[in-house]
Amino acid sequence: MTPFDIGLIALAAMFATVLLGLFVPIALMLCSFLGVWAIKGSPLLASKLLALAANDAISSYFFGVIPLFVLMGFVVSEAGFGRDAFDVANAMFRRLKGGLGVGTVGANAIFAAITGVSIASAAVFTKIAVPQMIRHGYAPRFAVGVVAGSSVLGMMIPPSLLLILYGILTEQSIGDLFIAGIGPGILLAVFFAVGIVAMAVFTPRFVGNTAAVPEGALTPAQMIKKGLPIAGLIMLVLGGIYTGAFTPVEAGAMGAIGALALGFALGRLTWGKLWTVLVDTGMVTATICFLIIAAQMYSRMLALSGVPAGLGAWAAGADLGFWGLMLLYVAIVIALGMILDSSSIMLILVPLMLPVVVPMGLDLVWFGIVTVLAVEIGLLTPPFGISVYVIKATLDDDSISLGDIFRGAAPFAAMMLVVLLIVIAVPSVATGLLPGR
C-alpha cells in the first residue's frame, strides 16, 4: 500500500469518526498518528513526529494573538458594551421601516469589530434584541433570524478568530487578513440592512409589524456617551494595525488593556466578573490551542502521504479553471457546514486546498476571506448551524423552535451567498485596502 493510499484511508477514517460523533481534534490526532505509523512503519517515529508538530503549532509568537482577542471580547461582552451598541444603532434607525432589525445588524457590526466571535454576538443579542423586536410586533421567527444572520458578522469584520486561525494555518499576515475583512464585512452588513428593509416592504407577513418604534430616542450627548467607548476601542485596535503602530499581537494586548480600563473606569467590571472573564478566556484559548495542534498533526500526515500534491496534480489535469475550482470548493465548504462547525471545516479543508490554489497564483489573503465567508454560511444551515443552537439555548421563549430559527435565518444565508459570489468575482472588495494588491 502506497503512502497516497494510506493518506486517503486516513482521510476517510477521519470523516467517518467525525460523523459518528468523535470530537474533531481527537479524530484528527488519532487518524494522523495511525496514518504516520502506517507510512513510516514505526509508532515511536510517528509519536515523535507528531510531538514536534504539536510544539511547532503553538510555539509561534503570533499564537499570542488568540488569547488576547478572546480576552478583549469577553471583557466587552461582560461590561455591557453590546447593549450600548444596540441602543446607539436602534436610536439611529428607529424611524426606518424595519428599523429595529437594521439597528440589530448595525449593533452586531459594531460589536463584531471589538469581539471577533460569532457565538458571543448570537448570545448577547438574543438577550438584548429579540425581546425588543417581539415586544414591538415583529414576528418571532424574523426576530431570531435577524440575530442569527447578523451574528456571523463577528467572524468577518476584524478582529476575527477564524481569520486568525486561517492565518496560522497558512502562515499569512493576520494584519493583512484583518484589513481584507473590512470591505466584505461592511458589504455584508449593508446587504443585511437593505434586505431587512426590502423584506419589511415586500413580505410584511414574514417580518411582522414594522412600524416605527416610538421609543429608543437618545440625545446627542447620550449617543456620544454610549458610543464613544466602543468607537475608541475600534480605533485603537484596527487603527493601530492599519497604521502599522501595532502588530496584531500588540493590538490585541492594547485592546484588552483598553477594554479592562474602560470596564473598571465606568464601574461595569468587578473583580468577580473579571474572574469569570479570565476563566472563560482560558477555556476558549485551550480549546483553540487543541484545535491548532490537531490541525498541525493532520497537515504533517497529509504532507507525508502526498495526498495534497496528488489533488493539486488532479486539479491541474482536470482543467477546472478558476470558476470551476472556486465553485466546487465553495459547494464542499457549505455542504460540510451542514454537519461540522466552522473551525473544523477550516482545519480539514485548508491544508488540502493550499497545494491546489498556490500553483494557480491565487492571493491567499483573498482566498482566506472567501473561505471564512463560505464557512460562515454553515453557521446558519441545518442540521448543525451552531449559531442557531446558541440562540435556541439562550432564548427565554420556548414557543420559538429550532425550525423557526433556521427558517428565519434562511434569507440571510442567501444574502451571504450573494456577497460570497461578489467577493469571488471582484477580489478587490477584499484586497482593495491592502497596499500593493
Side-chain angles (χ1 to χ4, degrees):
M1 190 178 294
T2 66
F4 187 84
D5 296 332
I6 294 171
L8 290 179
I9 292 171
L11 269 179
M14 185 266 300
F15 274 108
T17 52
V18 168
L19 290 176
L20 288 172
L22 190 63
F23 189 41
V24 172
I26 295 176
L28 287 173
M29 289 179 174
L30 178 62
C31 294
S32 298
F33 174 75
L34 295 176
V36 174
W37 182 357
I39 291 169
K40 294 298 184 181
S42 167
L44 181 61
L45 181 58
S47 61
K48 288 184 176 180
L49 283 173
L50 296 182
L52 285 173
N55 179 68
D56 293 343
I58 57 173
S59 62
S60 170
Y61 163 75
F62 290 103
F63 182 79
V65 76
I66 292 176
L68 292 170
F69 276 113
V70 171
L71 173 62
M72 181 177 70
F74 276 120
V75 171
V76 164
S77 178
E78 193 70 30
F81 291 120
R83 181 175 292 277
D84 285 349
F86 179 77
D87 290 342
V88 171
N90 178 36
M92 292 173 63
F93 300 111
R94 68 190 182 89
R95 296 191 181 279
L96 191 66
K97 199 172 181 67
L100 268 181
V102 176
T104 301
V105 171
N108 249 317
I110 296 169
F111 194 66
I114 45 178
T115 58
V117 185
S118 292
I119 294 173
S121 296
V124 168
F125 286 97
T126 298
K127 289 287 190 183
I128 297 172
V130 171
Q132 288 288 331
M133 283 190 276
I134 293 176
R135 187 166 66 87
H136 286 289
Y138 286 71
R141 182 185 300 175
F142 176 76
V144 291
V146 169
V147 172
S150 57
S151 70
V152 302
L153 294 171
M155 285 303 183
M156 179 49 60
I157 296 177
S160 158
L161 287 186
L162 272 190
L163 288 177
I164 293 172
L165 179 59
Y166 176 87
I168 292 173
L169 290 174
T170 59
E171 298 181 355
Q172 294 298 301
S173 165
I174 294 173
D176 285 353
L177 286 165
F178 280 179
I179 294 169
I182 294 173
I186 293 174
L187 181 63
L188 192 58
V190 170
F191 259 74
F192 285 168
V194 173
I196 287 170
V197 175
M199 284 188 282
V201 173
F202 297 109
T203 59
R205 184 174 297 179
F206 176 73
V207 176
N209 179 18
T210 59
V213 180
E215 310 170 11
L218 295 176
T219 65
Q222 288 174 321
M223 290 186 67
I224 291 173
K225 183 179 179 181
K226 285 178 175 288
L228 197 58
I230 305 168
L233 277 178
I234 294 171
M235 291 184 64
L236 176 66
V237 175
L238 297 186
I241 294 174
Y242 190 78
T243 59
F246 307 138
T247 67
V249 179
E250 292 166 349
M254 293 302 296
I257 292 171
L260 286 167
L262 283 171
F264 279 113
L266 296 175
R268 298 186 177 189
L269 276 183
T270 62
W271 292 109
K273 288 184 177 180
L274 179 60
W275 176 251
T276 301
V277 165
L278 293 175
V279 170
D280 289 344
T281 299
M283 291 177 65
V284 171
T285 302
T287 301
I288 296 172
C289 177
F290 196 42
L291 287 169
I292 292 174
I293 289 173
Q296 190 71 10
M297 293 179 175
Y298 169 68
S299 298
R300 296 286 176 93
M301 185 275 293
L302 286 179
L304 286 173
S305 70
V307 169
L311 287 177
W314 172 82
D319 197 24
L320 293 173
F322 171 78
W323 276 103
L325 177 65
M326 292 309 300
L327 291 178
L328 177 62
Y329 175 64
V330 165
I332 292 171
V333 172
I334 293 175
L336 285 179
M338 297 180 182
I339 55 174
L340 296 176
D341 65 280
S342 303
S343 300
S344 300
I345 296 168
M346 292 189 69
L347 296 176
I348 292 167
L349 283 186
V350 169
L352 274 175
M353 286 301 298
L354 278 182
V356 178
V357 298
V358 169
M360 296 180 67
L362 299 183
D363 189 326
L364 289 184
V365 171
W366 165 83
F367 186 72
I369 301 300
V370 170
T371 299
V372 170
L373 264 173
V375 163
E376 287 295 281
I377 295 175
L379 285 181
L380 306 180
T381 51
F384 195 83
I386 190 169
S387 277
V388 172
Y389 283 92
V390 169
I391 290 170
K392 177 60 179 172
T394 312
L395 273 175
D396 295 325
D397 189 348
D398 292 334
S399 66
I400 302 174
S401 67
L402 274 174
D404 289 332
I405 305 174
F406 276 121
R407 282 189 285 272
F412 297 93
M415 285 184 263
M416 288 185 71
L417 187 59
V418 173
V419 171
L420 174 60
L421 294 175
I422 291 173
V423 173
I424 293 174
V426 188
S428 59
V429 173
T431 59
L433 293 175
L434 293 172
R437 279 184 165 91

